[in-house]
Amino acid sequence: MKDKNLDYNSIIGLILISFVLIIFTYINNNNSNFRKQDFNRKEFFTKKEIFITEKDKRKKNNFFLLENNVLKLKISSLGGGINEVLLKKYKAYDSLLSYHAKNLYLIKNYSFLYKLSFLNQEGLNIDTNTLYFQPFSLEKDEISGIQTLIMRAKNPYGKGFLDYIYTIGKKNQYDIGFSIQTRNFPFFKKKGFYLNLEHKMLSLEKDRDWENSYTQVYYSVSNDNSNGSSASVKYLSEKKTEDINIYKANWIAHKQQFFSFIFVPEKVLKNVFVRSENFSSGSFLKKIQFRTFINTEKNKEFHLSFRLYFGPLDLNLLKKYQNGFENIIPFGWGFLKWINKYFFLIVFQFLEKTNLNYGLIIVLMTIVVKLILSPITYKQYKLSAMMKLIRPEIEKLNYKYREDVFKRQRAIMELYHNVGINPMSGCISALFQIPIFYSLFKFFPTLINLRGKSFFWVEDLTSYDSILKLPFFIPFYGNHVSLLTLLYSSALLFYTKLSNNGKRDFSQKESDISSIPNMNFILYLMPIVMLLFINSYASALSLYYLTSNMINIGFFFFIKELMLDEKKIFEKIQEKKIIKRNSWKKIIKEISNKRDRNATE
């Protein structure tokens, strides 16, 4: 049979990449079956008895605005809470127009509720979400531009007031101050109160299921040790309904794909119960609730302060808060996170300064990465060429020692050593590129700079491109056809065929030794695997891989035709074999002569 010139190191690399893809896709797309749990703890925002006068029942719910350059908040008089949060510089996806065109509300129509719950001296329960708050004062500092709104509610059982105090900066600040303060309020029966919060997170992106897979709770906890204290960032499952008790919470974040709400108390919360519940359909992604008991000093008024962040997941912006907020951006785990943060992001931000279309920036980014990796690519091609040239010798050894596996392997390794080939170097090169390959799966879908950016027919580079909607769903593939994925898979198929076209080297002849032609199937399986598994991924990922394979094809011709002279490589291999053989003979001769001298003495 004809020699197929297989590069077994490439096969190993492709098998590993396929395995990583299968595991990755299974982990990220297994959202259909959510865990159902019985929530046997006390439910949040349950209806409780409270005395409300007829005058209160006739009150109308009014709204009051606070805004700066980037935020617009609507405060409700009923409950004194935030009814709406509009991000001025961003848009939500409009399914009718097929691009980001709607006003982006992180909170809308009471999707975000919070309340205090406590007992007064008579043991009567007070829930602040049933109280009517009125604007007591609205002040603006002319120097700093900070606006302060005080919403005041009267004690329904007697004297005293409860104030909600909101502060917002004039400039591009995405966080606001929120304080709770009592005024001449009768002392509580218990030293403290419960703070409850419920947040139904709105869907803002094109692919709801994909967006939901990036929506979850993150939180920071204090870790006390002998050297002081430190903090670690943890998270709840993005797929399953889950609840947890958090001890010593520094902050709690309700993270979406590109935006987040972060609750930052002035003091560490000693014990917080958090529950995250998934919605499989509708306009909401998840419902997140938390409840904590806050102690107050006996017979004293209390004044608590918080910071509330409503804004984008922008790495540079979050770093400015110096609270570890940037760790909620899911760049990947372990060293993959470092590759994304300290390599891909730096390259991307540098190219972003060119002010080119973001699709072209991705193309340039691919070129930069391929140039950096070109020495590895060259070594792989050179190793592949050398392996093809010594293939006839390997087949002779396979035939000679066909019944003794140990001798055959030893003879082949000796051949590799004689010609100066390290067979593991190709596999190591392939393994080196797998982290880069995988890290991009986390990089593009979380990069807010690409959100809503178009490129030719692509509407949004952080979501899939679709040229045809299918009337049915194909497992793993989806219910749409992505043109970029088709182009990438075609380019990968062409490159696979090109690099494994079965051409025999000038030194190779026909052989009766059988090869393994079915191993070619593994090589040609990869384009099919990629077609299935990245059809619903960010189109920026498909664009990157399409460009990468086009560059690979160009490298193939450039290196093979201009840089690699297979005739010279073959001559060097023969020279090395002769040198190694002569060296070995010289060593044997020296040992023999030494033995003869010892014998005569």
Side-chain angles (χ1 to χ4, degrees):
M1 295 180 68
K2 294 183 179 180
D3 175 32
K4 296 297 181 180
N5 294 335
L6 294 181
D7 185 349
Y8 292 100
N9 293 313
S10 298
I11 294 174
I12 293 171
L14 289 173
I15 292 172
L16 289 171
I17 290 173
S18 301
F19 178 75
V20 168
L21 275 173
I22 293 169
I23 297 298
F24 175 80
T25 307
Y26 174 78
I27 291 173
N28 283 274
N29 294 326
N30 189 23
N31 294 321
S32 57
N33 297 319
F34 297 121
R35 184 177 58 147
K36 296 183 179 180
Q37 300 179 0
D38 292 328
F39 188 46
N40 53 13
R41 305 172 191 243
K42 191 175 291 185
E43 291 290 342
F44 298 96
F45 294 97
T46 53
K47 189 175 181 181
K48 297 183 179 180
E49 294 182 2
I50 183 170
F51 177 72
I52 303 177
T53 64
E54 290 299 323
K55 182 179 179 181
D56 287 334
K57 291 180 180 179
R58 293 193 297 270
K59 286 182 180 178
K60 182 181 178 182
N61 187 19
N62 296 311
F63 299 96
F64 308 92
L65 299 179
L66 276 177
E67 61 181 308
N68 59 14
N69 294 343
V70 294
L71 286 178
K72 184 176 181 180
L73 282 74
K74 183 185 288 188
I75 312 297
S76 170
S77 61
L78 178 60
I82 300 173
N83 179 258
E84 288 183 0
V85 174
L86 171 69
L87 300 190
K88 293 183 176 182
K89 293 190 175 182
Y90 295 93
K91 295 294 183 180
Y93 183 78
D94 190 332
S95 58
L96 297 177
L97 298 176
S98 297
Y99 64 93
H100 292 79
K102 298 191 299 184
N103 288 334
L104 195 154
Y105 289 94
L106 278 187
I107 296 167
K108 190 174 178 64
N109 297 332
Y110 298 103
S111 62
F112 183 75
L113 297 171
Y114 48 93
K115 70 173 185 178
L116 305 183
S117 178
F118 51 87
L119 298 175
N120 66 2
Q121 283 185 322
E122 289 75 28
L124 297 173
N125 186 66
I126 297 177
D127 283 345
T128 58
N129 63 331
T130 61
L131 300 181
Y132 277 92
F133 289 73
Q134 296 299 328
F136 177 74
S137 70
L138 176 61
E139 300 177 355
K140 182 177 180 180
D141 190 315
E142 296 298 334
I143 298 176
S144 64
I146 295 176
Q147 301 176 61
T148 302
L149 172 65
I150 301 177
M151 300 291 291
R152 174 166 290 182
K154 184 180 178 183
N155 180 4
Y157 298 112
K159 66 177 183 178
F161 301 94
L162 180 68
D163 290 345
Y164 279 0
I165 306 169
Y166 297 94
T167 59
I168 186 170
K170 179 182 179 181
K171 298 181 180 179
N172 302 327
Q173 291 180 242
Y174 284 97
D175 62 307
I176 66 168
F178 173 56
S179 299
I180 304 168
Q181 184 172 335
T182 56
R183 299 280 184 179
N184 301 318
F185 215 87
F187 303 127
F188 304 141
K189 190 172 183 178
K190 292 184 178 181
K191 291 193 302 178
F193 58 88
Y194 284 99
L195 173 63
N196 302 284
L197 185 144
E198 178 181 286
H199 183 192
K200 293 179 181 177
M201 306 182 76
L202 294 163
S203 177
L204 305 170
E205 310 303 331
K206 177 180 179 179
D207 190 334
R208 185 192 182 284
D209 292 335
W210 183 254
E211 181 186 10
N212 205 7
S213 68
Y214 279 87
T215 303
Q216 62 191 124
V217 175
Y218 277 74
Y219 58 94
S220 171
V221 294
S222 296
N223 299 322
D224 295 330
N225 52 55
S226 58
N227 297 324
S229 63
S230 60
S232 59
V233 176
K234 302 180 180 180
Y235 51 87
L236 300 186
S237 172
E238 73 275 17
K239 301 179 181 67
K240 300 179 290 187
T241 295
E242 188 175 0
D243 54 67
I244 190 174
N245 280 305
I246 304 172
Y247 300 98
K248 297 183 179 179
N250 297 313
W251 50 262
I252 300 172
H254 303 174
K255 185 196 77 67
Q256 297 182 229
Q257 187 173 359
F258 298 106
F259 304 95
S260 183
F261 159 70
I262 308 176
F263 178 84
V264 190
E266 184 180 42
K267 297 180 180 179
V268 172
L269 298 178
K270 294 182 179 180
N271 191 1
V272 187
F273 176 76
V274 180
R275 175 180 171 85
S276 174
E277 180 182 351
N278 290 278
F279 294 125
S280 57
S281 60
S283 59
F284 296 116
L285 301 171
K286 285 180 173 65
K287 180 169 71 174
I288 298 171
Q289 302 164 294
F290 74 73
R291 177 186 179 95
T292 184
F293 185 80
I294 299 177
N295 289 303
T296 57
E297 294 186 34
K298 188 176 182 181
N299 299 332
K300 287 187 178 180
E301 304 281 0
F302 68 85
H303 184 185
L304 297 174
S305 296
F306 309 90
R307 301 297 299 178
L308 307 179
Y309 176 88
F310 302 96
L313 293 175
D314 182 282
L315 182 67
N316 295 328
L317 175 63
L318 294 177
K319 275 185 175 181
K320 292 179 181 179
Y321 290 93
Q322 298 181 348
N323 265 336
F325 295 160
E326 67 274 10
N327 291 311
I328 69 177
I329 302 177
F331 279 133
W333 51 266
F335 62 94
L336 300 180
K337 183 176 183 178
W338 290 88
I339 293 173
N340 281 328
K341 286 179 67 175
Y342 301 109
F343 177 63
F344 283 119
L345 186 62
I346 291 174
V347 173
F348 179 86
Q349 289 176 339
F350 175 78
L351 294 173
E352 196 176 22
K353 296 176 182 178
T354 61
N355 293 322
L356 294 171
N357 178 277
Y358 277 90
L360 294 177
I361 289 174
I362 293 172
V363 172
L364 290 176
M365 178 179 167
T366 314
I367 294 172
V368 170
V369 174
K370 297 300 288 186
L371 287 175
I372 293 173
L373 297 177
S374 58
I376 296 176
T377 305
Y378 174 75
K379 287 183 179 180
Q380 282 184 303
Y381 281 123
K382 186 175 180 180
L383 177 65
S384 177
M386 293 176 74
M387 292 292 288
K388 290 177 182 179
L389 291 170
I390 67 168
R391 186 68 187 171
E393 300 291 332
I394 293 176
E395 290 184 343
K396 289 177 183 178
L397 294 174
N398 284 333
Y399 182 77
K400 183 178 180 180
Y401 300 106
R402 58 184 179 275
E403 295 182 358
D404 193 329
V405 176
F406 179 75
K407 287 184 178 181
R408 181 169 71 239
Q409 292 298 326
R410 187 171 63 181
I412 291 174
M413 293 305 296
E414 185 177 347
L415 174 64
Y416 287 155
H417 179 71
N418 289 338
V419 299
I421 289 178
N422 181 3
M424 291 300 296
S425 61
C427 185
I428 292 172
S429 299
L431 288 173
F432 179 79
Q433 296 187 62
I434 287 177
I436 296 175
F437 180 87
Y438 176 75
S439 60
L440 292 168
F441 279 82
K442 285 291 186 180
F443 180 75
F444 289 118
T446 59
L447 197 61
I448 193 169
N449 308 57
L450 291 177
R451 181 182 181 271
K453 300 299 188 296
S454 61
F455 182 62
F456 291 112
W457 67 90
V458 180
E459 304 154 357
D460 180 7
L461 286 166
T462 61
S463 185
Y464 61 84
D465 66 298
S466 178
I467 59 169
L468 179 64
K469 192 77 173 178
L470 301 177
F472 49 84
F473 182 86
I474 302 174
F476 296 109
Y477 185 75
N479 60 353
H480 65 274
V481 177
S482 166
L483 179 57
L484 271 178
T485 306
L486 281 175
L487 293 174
Y488 160 58
S489 299
S490 301
L492 180 58
L493 179 64
F494 178 73
Y495 174 68
T496 302
K497 185 175 179 60
L498 189 67
S499 59
N500 190 48
N501 55 15
K503 288 183 179 179
R504 297 190 306 277
D505 185 71
F506 65 90
S507 65
Q508 294 176 321
K509 298 179 180 180
E510 296 288 340
S511 175
D512 294 331
I513 302 171
S514 62
S515 59
I516 314 174
N518 289 333
M519 288 294 289
N520 279 323
F521 175 74
I522 296 175
L523 294 175
Y524 292 108
L525 181 64
M526 192 61 181
I528 300 173
V529 170
M530 296 302 293
L531 179 64
L532 290 174
F533 283 89
I534 71 168
N535 189 62
S536 295
Y537 279 69
S539 53
L541 182 70
S542 299
L543 177 59
Y544 179 95
Y545 287 146
L546 170 61
T547 307
S548 178
N549 273 271
M550 297 299 292
I551 294 172
N552 284 341
I553 293 170
F555 272 177
F556 180 87
F557 287 110
F558 179 76
I559 294 174
K560 185 176 179 64
E561 301 299 331
L562 299 178
M563 296 184 68
L564 285 180
D565 189 331
E566 292 190 350
K567 186 175 181 179
K568 288 184 178 180
I569 292 175
F570 180 75
E571 290 174 355
K572 286 183 178 180
I573 288 174
Q574 298 304 317
E575 289 175 4
K576 286 182 179 180
K577 287 169 68 177
I578 294 170
I579 293 171
K580 293 286 185 180
R581 191 179 300 115
N582 292 336
S583 299
W584 183 247
K585 288 180 179 179
K586 184 178 179 181
I587 292 171
I588 293 175
K589 186 176 181 180
E590 288 178 355
I591 294 173
S592 178
N593 292 335
K594 187 177 180 180
R595 186 183 300 167
D596 293 340
R597 286 195 302 267
N598 292 335
T600 56
E601 292 176 356

